[in-house]
Amino acid sequence: MKALYGRGTALFPPQVLDASDTYFSREVPISKENPGRRYIGVCASGVRLTAAEIRVSEVLMAGAQLLLDRGGASADPYLTMVAYFNATRELAGMARFMQDDIQTGLARGRLWSKLPRRSGIAFGPINHAELTSRVASSAITETLNQLAVPFDPDQDTNAARQARIAAARAGQSVPREGPLPFDAVLATSMLQVGVDVPRLGLMLLVGQPKNTAEYIQASSRVGRSADGPGLVVTLGNWARPRDLAHFEQFRHFHETFYAQVEALSVTPYSVTSIERGLEGVLVSAARVASGVDGAAGLSPESGANRVSEQTAFLDALTGRLVARALTACGEHDANLVKQRLASRLGNWRKRRTDTLAESKQLVYEKTHKAGQAPLMIGAEATTRKEILEGAPFVVPNSMREVQPEINLLVSPKPERLWIQHGEGAPQWVFPAEEE
């Protein structure tokens, strides 16, 4: 509490008599209105994990088709299987299996199985998507929107599909309006937050996640609606001792997993967090705290140009920030914050002097006019124009991902390569061509 909020611990409300009612949360009995979710553990000893993934996915997707054929629209929550992976490498393998082994197994069916065949939503191919860091943010938004598209019993049962295929062979038009629903969605840790699609009810967790909080967050993405109780199938890797330990204690672990959430360390004034976050804190605090001064303060976008006029205010503000660091983490970290803030204020004033020499106005970020120069740029800025503007404050939009993407274009012809040597750096010499 001291490192996070700069104050001592205060327990509110006090301990209560009923452990199921803590004032902040309350246990709700399982009912039709609150069905919850059911967890099932699978561990195929002696079988390769990839083979188990394929077979379990095939059974879950074929079982969902059986529910649709018999129950109609009530089966919709289980027709989109959400598969969760601990690593992108594992997910990439599953993406290949979806287009090959699983798709083939569902289409052919098993002679000894009572589960029906299932073809992809698009007359054969399985319609699947990814929620990973290797997908563009715009595509992720489209995927989340499309996840809300339900299956239509009038078109997606096996009987309806056979009728549509027969009509297509007879030369009749069988159009389908609107976007297609997903047969499967493959996801990594991105799924934990920001995904709230009520219709999702089926999840396959491949391998035990690295910590209990991740496990709870990921599995709670399904079964969020009373219309579809959640079904979470955890596929453990028998070759991993941790997966095996959770499988052997499966029931006890799930009955008590909220008590087993690991404690997190808090390091708000580590060197890396100071380097990445202090500029944003300084600017936001300056703009908010000086808002009472109106147009003469630092709050407006053009207020960045008044840094010299607000010296006394900024010195007092940095003193408060240093005092906050001293309360939370001690003298050493407070000195680091003090030195960094002094350096940042010096860069701010220098930036203002340089822009005045160029007959420009200093603004915080939004340069709407040609005669304006920014104080800040985002850590994700990659364009040459943004880099050449030389803004001294690099402020990330997120504390999770702050590394910009770098596109490399490599040519085999040395004369086409452009090199800019840093000051004092040794000259690069291309190796001699081999005979």
Side-chain angles (χ1 to χ4, degrees):
M1 287 291 291
K2 186 176 181 182
L4 188 60
Y5 298 111
R7 56 177 180 264
T9 303
L11 182 62
F12 175 83
Q15 293 291 341
V16 292
L17 298 177
D18 186 358
S20 64
D21 187 354
T22 66
Y23 178 84
F24 297 107
S25 63
R26 181 169 56 88
E27 290 185 11
V28 178
I30 299 297
S31 63
K32 282 189 175 182
E33 292 74 23
N34 300 286
R37 60 184 64 86
R38 182 179 293 275
Y39 290 82
I40 297 177
V42 178
C43 187
S45 299
V47 178
R48 293 181 62 186
L49 182 63
T50 52
E53 288 177 38
I54 295 170
R55 188 69 187 105
V56 171
S57 299
E58 184 182 328
V59 169
L60 292 176
M61 296 179 73
Q65 184 65 48
L66 178 64
L67 291 178
L68 181 65
D69 292 343
R70 293 182 177 180
S74 60
D76 177 65
Y78 313 102
L79 286 162
T80 298
M81 183 186 72
V82 181
Y84 185 87
F85 299 85
N86 295 310
T88 306
R89 173 180 55 81
E90 298 172 355
L91 180 145
M94 187 62 164
R96 186 175 67 254
F97 297 144
M98 275 288 174
Q99 299 170 338
D100 188 2
D101 301 69
I102 298 175
Q103 182 173 293
T104 302
L106 286 172
R108 291 180 177 178
R110 306 279 178 172
L111 295 177
W112 45 265
S113 175
K114 294 184 179 181
L115 293 175
R117 298 179 180 181
R118 176 174 175 176
S119 58
I121 193 69
F123 284 105
I126 289 179
N127 186 27
H128 73 279
E130 289 187 20
L131 289 175
T132 64
S133 58
R134 66 179 187 172
V135 178
S137 57
S138 58
I140 290 175
T141 302
E142 294 176 3
T143 300
L144 292 176
N145 292 334
Q146 195 171 344
L147 270 175
V149 178
F151 281 74
D152 186 355
D154 295 333
Q155 300 190 66
D156 298 325
T157 61
N158 273 327
R161 284 175 178 168
Q162 292 300 322
R164 290 167 61 201
I165 292 173
R169 289 174 178 173
Q172 301 177 13
S173 176
V174 284
R176 179 167 185 155
E177 298 180 357
L180 297 176
F182 286 121
D183 294 300
V185 174
L186 313 181
T188 54
S189 57
M190 182 179 293
L191 185 74
Q192 293 182 59
V193 292
V195 178
D196 186 8
V197 183
R199 64 169 290 267
L200 297 179
L202 176 64
M203 173 175 284
L204 172 64
L205 276 155
V206 180
Q208 188 70 26
K210 297 178 178 61
N211 56 66
T212 306
E214 179 183 354
Y215 183 72
I216 295 173
Q217 284 280 51
S219 60
S220 64
R221 298 302 103 187
V222 300
R224 301 173 71 85
S225 170
D227 297 332
L231 176 62
V232 180
V233 179
T234 302
L235 177 60
N237 186 350
W238 63 274
R240 293 178 181 172
R242 187 172 183 274
D243 285 23
L244 198 58
H246 277 88
F247 178 74
E248 291 172 347
Q249 303 291 330
F250 194 81
R251 179 165 184 168
H252 173 72
F253 170 71
H254 286 81
E255 288 176 343
T256 61
F257 63 9
Y258 282 104
Q260 301 188 43
V261 174
E262 300 85 355
L264 298 177
S265 61
V266 179
T267 55
Y269 291 100
S270 64
V271 174
T272 303
S273 64
I274 290 174
E275 291 177 350
R276 292 184 175 180
L278 199 56
E279 288 90 341
V281 171
L282 173 62
V283 172
S284 59
R287 297 187 70 178
V288 172
S290 68
V292 294
D293 294 335
L298 296 168
S299 182
E301 184 67 24
S302 59
N305 204 47
R306 304 188 185 97
V307 59
S308 297
E309 304 168 14
Q310 298 286 335
T311 299
F313 168 77
L314 289 171
D315 289 343
L317 178 64
T318 55
R320 292 173 60 187
L321 294 176
V322 172
R324 172 65 173 77
L326 183 62
T327 302
C329 295
E331 187 175 352
H332 178 267
D333 293 327
N335 288 333
L336 292 178
V337 173
K338 183 177 181 179
Q339 294 170 11
R340 183 74 175 185
L341 286 172
S343 172
R344 297 293 84 189
L345 281 177
N347 289 343
W348 189 346
R349 296 187 180 101
K350 182 178 182 301
R351 177 65 166 169
R352 192 242 183 186
T353 302
D354 293 343
T355 54
L356 285 178
E358 298 173 3
S359 300
K360 292 183 178 180
Q361 182 186 33
L362 182 63
V363 296
Y364 287 110
E365 185 180 13
K366 301 175 182 178
T367 53
H368 295 300
K369 300 178 182 179
Q372 294 178 336
L375 175 68
M376 305 183 300
I377 60 170
E380 299 80 7
T382 56
T383 65
R384 184 171 177 79
K385 178 180 180 296
E386 290 172 320
I387 296 172
L388 289 178
E389 282 180 337
F393 287 8
V394 180
V395 180
N397 292 319
S398 169
M399 291 300 288
R400 292 185 176 182
E401 298 290 341
V402 297
Q403 302 299 333
E405 295 181 356
I406 301 175
N407 298 320
L408 296 179
L409 180 61
V410 180
S411 172
K413 299 180 179 180
E415 60 271 14
R416 290 188 175 181
L417 299 179
W418 178 77
I419 304 175
Q420 182 179 13
H421 296 285
E423 184 178 351
Q427 297 294 314
W428 176 265
V429 179
F430 286 99
E433 296 183 2
E434 297 182 0
E435 296 182 1

